[in-house]
Structure formats: C-alpha cells, structure tokens
Amino acid sequence: LVMRDWSQRGKRFFASLRMTEWVRMTEWVSMTQSCGRSRWLAMPTVVLALLAIFGASAAQGASITASVRSPEVSLDELFLITLEIRGEEIGDPQLPVTPDIGFTPAPSVQRSSRNISIVNGQISSESIVTLGYNAWAKREGKVEIPPIKVMIDGEEYATKPIPLTVTKGGPAPELPLRRGGRQQPLRSETSAPTLEDTVVFECGVDKQEVYQGEPLTLTIRILELDNPNVGTIGRPQFEPPSTEGFYAGPMHQTDSRDIRNGWPYVVKELRQTLFPTGVGEYTVGTASWQATVRAITQQGLRTDQKALTTRPIPVTVKALPARPPGFTGAVGQFQARLGMREQTLTQGVPTILELSIAGHGNPNAISAPELPPFSWAQVSGPEVDTQHDDQEWTQIEKVFRYTLTPLEAGTFQTPALRFIYFDPARESFETEDLPPLSLQVEASTESHRLVAVGGSENAPQQDVKILAQDLLPIITGETALRARKSARASVAPTFLGPPILYGGFFAYMRRKRRLAEDPGYARRVFARSRSQKRLAHLAKSGEPSEDLYRAVMGYIADVFNSNETGMTSHDAQALLEREGVDAEVGESLVKILRACERRRYAGVSLRQEEVQALAEAARAAMNQLDVARRGAA
C-alpha cells in the first residue's frame, strides 16, 4: 500500500513538471560533472535529485487563501477576489451564496505555476493555482465575504472570511449589459482572449416583411476587441451586402462600445435605409470582412487571417392595396402643412406659398400635389428643398415653394389641397386635408409711366426719350451738313447699308436682351443643345443611368421652364399632359425616365447597349417635341 501510494504521487509529480524544471535539473547534473565527478555518478545523482524533489514536494502542505485589493468598495462596483491555491489535485472552488455579495460563476483570471527552489542543499517544489473572480456588493455598510471552499488532494479547505466596508460613493454604475438584457461583467485585463474573441461581425434588418416602398433599416456591426494585446495588420477589407431590388439610402456610421462574453469591444455600426421597389421575394446579400489579426492569446502570440461573412437575409415585399385617386406613391407616416410668408399681399408683388410634408419615409417618392389654377394670381414653380435628420435618414421634411403673384386686389382664398399617403403601420391609405388660406391683396400704389431723361451738365442738353423697352434711344441733335461728291455706284450701298446693318444689329441686341431678361425663353433656346451635350457624354460616364435621367429630365424642365430639382417621372408626366404634348412623345420620355429610376432604385447600372438604345430613343422623342412646338408656334 505504501509503495502504491508513492507510485501514484510520483506519476502526478512527473506529469506536472514543466520544461523549465527539467532544464534546471539537467543544469544541476552538468554542474556535478564539471566539478570532477565521474560520468558513472551522473545517473545516481539524477535519481537522488528526483527523490529529493519528490520528497520535498510531497512534504509541502496544501492551502487556499483569498484576498481583495481594498477592504473598502463602492456599492454595485465590480472588484476582484483573488484565490491562491496550493496542492496537487485541485478541484473547483465552491462560491458561497449570500445576500450581501454577488459573484460571477466563472473566473476572469486563471494562472498556474510550479516553483522549484534549492536552499542549503534542500530542494523544494510546489504547485500554485491563481483564480480571480469578479464580485460586487449589494448593500451598504459592513458586509463579509464568507469562506470559499475547495477540495485539495482529497481534503476540503476553506478561506478565512474577509470583512468589507461598502460605501455608496457616486452614482452606482450598472453592470455591463448584453443586448438581451443579461448582466455581462467585465473580464480582468490580465485574462488572455482567444482568436475567436478578437472580432465579431454581424448583419441584420429590423423587419423581414414590408410593403412596397416601406423603409427597412439594414444594420452592420463590426466589433473589435478593445485590448492592447490585440490588433489588425493593415487595413481591413469590408464589402457591404448587395441590395438589388431596393433603393438604398446613404450609409451612416456610429461608434460605440459593447460587452460580449465579458470582453469589452469597440463597435463600428453602419446603418442604411432600404426601400423595396417591387413586389415579391427579395434578398439582402452577404457582407464580408477580411483582415489579418495579431493577438496575444492563451496560447501565446498568434496571427490569423480572418475572413468573416454574414448570411443572406430574405425579405418579403407585399403589394399595396387598391390605390385611391390622387395617390402619387408616398409610403410612410407624414404630416402636411400649407402656409404663406405674408398674410397681406400687394398687387403685382410676388410672394412664396409653401407646402411642407414632414415625416418618416422615402423623400424621392413624395411628389408635389397638383395646384388648381388661380383666377386671381399667377403661380409658378415649385422649388423643392429636402432636409434629412442627422441621426435617421428617413426622418425628412420636403418643402415645395411656389411663387405666387397677385394680379387683382381684394380678398381671396387659396384652393383646398389634399395629400394622400399609405401608412404601413395602419395598413391603410391616409389623407391630409389642407384647408384654404384667406388672403388680403392690396392695390398697387406704383404707376408704370414712360420716362424722359435730359442731358448732362457738361454737354449741350439733348432730348432722349425711351419709347419702349425693346427700342434703342433716339438722340436728337443739330450737326452741320456738307455736300460731298460721290460716284453713282456708291450711292446705293451708301444709303442701303446703314439701314441693313442697323436692322441686323437691332435684331441681335433684341435677342440678346430677351435672353438676359427672359429666363424661360433662354432655357427653351438652349434646351436642345444642353441635352445633346449630356447625351454625348454618356459613353464615358461612370453612372450612365443617372446622367441619362438628368439629361431627359433637364430637357423637359428647360422646355417648359420648370424647376428640375426634385422632379420625378410622375411630375414629368403631369407636366407633359398639362402642356398638351402629344401622348406618344410624352409616353416615350416618361418610359425612359422610369427605366432610369428602376435602375437607380435597384442599385445597378445600365449596360452599354441599354444606354445606347435609351439615348437614341431620347433623341428621337426630343426631335419630335421640338418639331411639334415649332409647328404650334
């Protein structure tokens, strides 16, 4: 029995020896040889050394001690309890259950070592295990950490109670929380992570079933371990997911911190709003993140090539119910408001009529309601201004500004307006009724008379009379006339040349003046050339669908003197119909615009052959519209 017990102790001892201890014993044997001893004494020396080490190790006593950094702690503040356990066979510590102190179930610090020392020729060896547990006090005042028990070499040992003084201190910090709400205490900085802990890569959407045009939010989170022993080599390669079938808004980034499995992370969160453009089953593709990670882990310094990908996300897009008259495609939650900058107007003085639509949705799907004709005023526009919330891109306000010029004096009212949108939360169409505005128009006090202007004080006064805005001044003055002899052949050019030159110069100046004073006329004149230049550069464009859309929309806006900003295909169709454009020509232009919009919403570019075909169709439709307008003129 004695021999068997010593044999088992010897096996455990030799299994626990580390490489450094074997090296020390080898050096000790070499030292004995260098002292002149013969080689045949080397092996007995090793045997005697091992027996001495083993005997000293067996003679060491098992023990466990507990300590904290300070006997004073703050309420709900994490502090570390360190256990030092000495022995050969060490079990798991049994943490006490007490209403005063809370413990984390797993240690955040875990180390083990074996010390061998030689004192006065005596060799001693001991195994030491160090464990650290995070804990927190649950109440103020005097509390006590009860004894912590552990099995060592088949016997139970316990620590001594540790008295603590708990103070309230400042505001009690909450324990770090996981997103599910579970408590996540921080690990100690002395604990080493694994390579799997270094980076976490996630991708998801807030909902997977939406209506056509309803916004959904795509969120991508990259969590990198906040540890001085962890870092990436070079610049990580990030590839966002494909969003074909969606109109994708801009991507916004926010930085924050989070706790996962007790480890602190620096979080880079990317958020993007997606609007489905069709109906059916769609998929948000996979995202990828690649980088070389270097970390000091539990296995030492490690380098690993991380290639992380997310799963594709299916999204079901439902069709909208039967659309009521007046619905132009706005999906979301909105509020409309109609107002004037001045309540008292003056005849002939322009002012601004503002229609504001604010809420949550896609701003590109919001079109201006068509204003009925005003019998007492001239209305032009609108100019469109869109503002987004800094934190949430779909939180918008779109303002349509119309220029209103009263033609008569008196009391008038603006027509009642109606804005219709689809609310996905209620699954119904909602209507915003805008009541008419009462306006008082005062008569103009200005008189429009012709102006007579005299001469200067340094020259003989001459009469200059402005007859009309399109005629040059006629200057009257007396000059001396003398008869000159001339050839008969020069008589006709002499008398006919000045009127012809004057007539040409007059026509040139009149056209130049009209181009400068009449923006609508200038836009109509240069509409064709400007659009042709845009179409000619499509082959070299990086985004041909967007440039083609701008060329056609710009041409329509220039021809009819409308504001191009914020115009959609629906607005262009209404404008062409209102101006009496041939249905076939207008339908061709609208089809081109809608093809470009579908490509833009889907996030893909047109192929080269598609660009050429649409550009030729645009040129043909523009030629037909120019011919029709010249014929009408």
Side-chain angles (χ1 to χ4, degrees), residues 102-124:
F103 301 89
T104 58
S108 59
V109 178
Q110 188 170 359
R111 297 191 301 271
S112 62
S113 62
R114 177 174 292 276
N115 294 334
I116 299 177
S117 60
I118 303 176
V119 179
N120 298 325
Q122 298 294 327
I123 302 175
S124 62

Side-chain angles (χ1 to χ4, degrees), residues 7 10 31 55 57 62 78 84 119 124 134 162 176 207 210 261 420 429 438 471 477 516 539 583 586:
S7 175
M31 180 183 65
S57 174
L78 289 177
E84 188 175 277
V119 179
S124 62
N134 284 318
I162 302 177
K207 45 196 169 184
V210 294
N261 299 325
I420 302 176
F429 289 94
S438 297
L471 295 178

Side-chain angles (χ1 to χ4, degrees), residues 277-338:
T277 59
V279 176
E281 299 295 331
Y282 290 84
T283 301
V284 177
T286 60
S288 62
W289 186 92
Q290 297 182 9
T292 301
V293 179
R294 176 177 293 173
I296 300 177
T297 67
Q298 297 174 356
Q299 296 80 27
L301 180 60
R302 299 284 299 278
T303 301
D304 186 26
Q305 180 67 33
K306 286 281 187 179
L308 306 178
T309 58
T310 61
R311 295 180 180 180
I313 305 173
V315 177
T316 301
V317 183
K318 300 181 292 185
L320 298 179
R323 307 187 178 195
F327 175 70
T328 59
V331 178
Q333 294 85 32
F334 302 99
Q335 291 182 345
R337 180 180 59 84
L338 184 66

